Amino acid sequence: MSTYPQSAQDVYEFWFRELTKAQWFKTDPAVDQAIVERFSHLHRQAAQCELFHWRTTPKGRLAEIIVLDQFSRNIHRESALAFSCDALALALAQEAVAQGADQALDPAERSFLYMPYMHSESPAIHTLAMTLFNQPGLEDNLQFEIRHKEIIDRFGRYPHRNQWLNRESTPEELEFLKQPGSSF
């Protein structure tokens, strides 16, 4: 287990140097456990807006967004808590975009700064996400955003979250969830 406190750089190094691209998007109990052990205390701090000092640099803000958006999903997998910091992560990403801080990041970094847009269940936010992901170097992410937007346009929410958010699924959503690739 790492010692306290950890910096934005520690989060950045773990996410972009220790993990592989495949590990970012694949369910892996070992990765989940590593994040719980090494970063759960930072996650609690981020959820309480205590990491505000990280926001002075684009990579610091990115690290805070990764903690709120990505680490939430690893720490609280298959739980409503996995989505509990989405609004805060989105607000931080929106501020970064408004300030132009996203342009100081390379495409891989920028994709994670924009990820809270993709995770939103708001059609208006997905309209913005289409523009953000439609940049050189983000072509693969744009294809995923298109698929996410199609689900939001069709259902107004992500049906695969219903079970964890105690939402009743419609018959159309249940049929959709039987299809391969229906959840992310």
Side-chain angles (χ1 to χ4, degrees), residues 94-112:
Q94 290 169 323
E95 287 177 355
V97 169
Q99 295 168 0
D102 57 324
Q103 297 307 305
L105 302 171
D106 70 32
E109 296 164 342
R110 213 173 313 139
S111 72
F112 283 100

Side-chain angles (χ1 to χ4, degrees), residues 105-181:
L105 302 171
D106 70 32
E109 296 164 342
R110 213 173 313 139
S111 72
F112 283 100
L113 186 98
Y114 298 157
M115 203 64 65
Y117 288 82
M118 191 182 295
H119 289 154
S120 173
E121 289 187 317
S122 165
I125 297 301
H126 280 275
T127 298
L128 297 170
M130 291 294 292
T131 301
L132 292 171
F133 284 109
N134 191 17
Q135 298 181 45
L138 297 176
E139 294 85 1
D140 289 342
N141 298 97
L142 177 61
Q143 294 310 307
F144 279 102
E145 171 51 31
I146 290 168
R147 290 177 53 203
H148 281 74
K149 186 176 185 309
E150 287 171 351
I151 293 169
I152 295 301
D153 288 346
R154 181 174 174 187
F155 299 108
R157 61 189 185 176
Y158 292 118
H160 68 274
R161 293 182 184 178
N162 291 352
Q163 64 181 328
W164 298 301
L165 297 176
N166 294 318
R167 301 188 302 207
E168 189 171 332
S169 295
T170 66
E172 184 182 9
E173 287 173 331
L174 292 171
E175 192 59 36
F176 172 75
L177 289 170
K178 293 178 186 176
Q179 300 173 22

Side-chain angles (χ1 to χ4, degrees), residues 1 13 38 54 58 70 72 76 95 101 103 116 134 140 156 159 171:
M1 183 180 252
E13 291 295 323
R38 292 173 63 180
W54 288 11
Q70 297 297 311
S72 289
H76 301 292
E95 287 177 355
Q103 297 307 305
N134 191 17
D140 289 342

Side-chain angles (χ1 to χ4, degrees), residues 12-32:
Y12 181 90
E13 291 295 323
F14 174 79
W15 195 254
F16 290 104
R17 305 281 187 262
E18 290 183 42
L19 296 183
T20 65
K21 185 176 181 178
Q23 289 175 304
W24 290 338
F25 302 110
K26 179 182 165 194
T27 300
D28 181 341
V31 171
D32 290 352

